[in-house]
Amino acid sequence: SSFSKPRVHNSFCHQTSGCIFPFAGWSLGLLFLDSEMECAKGGIKIRIYGFKLFIERFCMTGGNSPVGYLKAYHTNLYLSADPVKVREALEEGIAAATMFTPEKMTEVSKTQLRVAFDGDAVLFSDESERIFKAHGLDKFFEHEKAHENKPLDHGPLKGFLEALGKLQKRFYDKGQRLDCPIRTYLVTARSAASSGTRALKTLRSWGLEIDEALFLAGAPKGPMLEKIRPHIFFDDQMFHVERAAEMGTVACHVPYGIAQRVNKEGGKEMSSAPE
């Protein structure tokens, strides 16, 4: 049934296929809208560019924010170039991220959808980052060790990972685990020995699987993303988003948690958390 597939709302408007196209082309975009609306002398001109995508549902809001309709559409993921709308969606409990278009996109797989997630403040809550900000790295390690068996609270994109997992299960049930056309990645600055165990135990407690978990212990994520070549990558820190975009990855910023602060002079979202 198509209704059980993740629904992605995309507020980008392009006349040619844009950075979201390879991702949406996997039929995840059941609420993928590529449209242009023009009001002129008593009429509205609407142009929808389908690019042979299966477009099941869309909404036209006359310039108003579509965020209020997301829950009614059972949206699993909302992507926008507008960080204000993304924050509104997150406040409504919708998985959302601000998308950044790389100048030159890296070639991605045509046979397997690859989705890469950061951990803290993306899949998980920002609990651990708060410990770091308040007490430093050593206390962070102590806290994670002491709470190793206590699952972290969920982050804003947990639901989207769940939706992907339901699709994967369909293939697993058919004995196609090794040939599943969807693959998920955890790409985190956590280290495997000191803080990675809690992340893995949290996923297990949720009944969720991640195909590959990559613990970088603070190392740059760019080289690993270059190897993975994900169709889309989510992180709460602009530093990692910008570096990923520079390497040709479609990178999305999740403006959630203590890592976020607003530069009031320039209005630019920045990260103040450790890399």
Side-chain angles (χ1 to χ4, degrees), residues 249-261:
T249 298
V250 176
C252 299
H253 179 233
V254 182
Y256 171 85
I258 198 172
Q260 313 308 313
R261 67 181 177 85

Side-chain angles (χ1 to χ4, degrees), residues 9 31 33 35 37 57-61 66 69 73:
H9 186 292
L31 193 57
L33 174 61
S35 67
M37 301 175 58
R57 302 174 181 178
F58 62 88
C59 62
M60 294 171 288
T61 61
Y69 297 103
Y73 273 108

Side-chain angles (χ1 to χ4, degrees), residues 63-83:
N64 292 329
S65 172
V67 171
Y69 297 103
L70 297 180
K71 282 191 176 180
Y73 273 108
H74 302 289
T75 303
N76 295 110
L77 177 65
Y78 174 72
L79 300 175
S80 176
D82 186 343

Side-chain angles (χ1 to χ4, degrees), residues 91-189:
E91 289 172 1
E92 291 294 320
I94 303 293
T98 309
M99 179 175 286
F100 291 83
T101 307
E103 292 185 6
K104 183 177 181 181
M105 288 180 57
T106 298
E107 184 175 349
V108 293
S109 173
K110 293 181 173 61
T111 60
Q112 185 178 65
L113 173 66
R114 299 173 184 173
V115 184
F117 300 89
D118 179 29
D120 295 286
V122 177
L123 292 179
F124 314 126
S125 72
D126 66 339
E127 169 199 326
S128 298
E129 288 190 3
R130 288 180 179 275
I131 296 297
F132 172 84
K133 291 291 293 181
H135 305 290
L137 190 60
D138 289 340
K139 289 294 184 181
F140 162 76
F141 287 143
E142 291 178 11
H143 177 269
E144 293 305 287
K145 185 63 177 177
H147 295 81
E148 182 178 298
N149 295 313
K150 180 183 178 182
L152 289 155
D153 197 2
H154 67 85
L157 263 63
K158 176 200 173 189
F160 182 54
L161 178 62
E162 286 178 328
L164 291 175
K166 290 177 181 178
L167 284 179
Q168 288 179 306
K169 190 175 185 301
R170 293 186 179 184
F171 293 94
Y172 298 167
D173 291 344
K174 296 177 182 178
Q176 299 177 333
R177 178 176 287 271
L178 296 180
D179 299 319
C180 182
I182 302 172
R183 194 163 186 84
T184 56
Y185 300 80
L186 173 64
V187 184
T188 174

Side-chain angles (χ1 to χ4, degrees), residues 6-17:
R7 295 171 176 80
V8 180
H9 186 292
N10 177 32
S11 67
F12 286 88
C13 296
H14 303 288
Q15 292 188 0
T16 58
S17 60

Side-chain angles (χ1 to χ4, degrees), residues 169-223:
K169 190 175 185 301
R170 293 186 179 184
F171 293 94
Y172 298 167
D173 291 344
K174 296 177 182 178
Q176 299 177 333
R177 178 176 287 271
L178 296 180
D179 299 319
C180 182
I182 302 172
R183 194 163 186 84
T184 56
Y185 300 80
L186 173 64
V187 184
T188 174
R190 285 176 175 254
S191 58
S194 59
S195 56
T197 302
R198 190 181 186 196
L200 294 177
K201 287 186 175 181
T202 295
L203 290 171
R204 191 177 303 124
S205 73
W206 292 345
L208 295 180
E209 295 185 26
I210 201 89
D211 293 303
E212 297 190 29
L214 307 170
F215 298 97
L216 304 184
K221 297 182 180 181

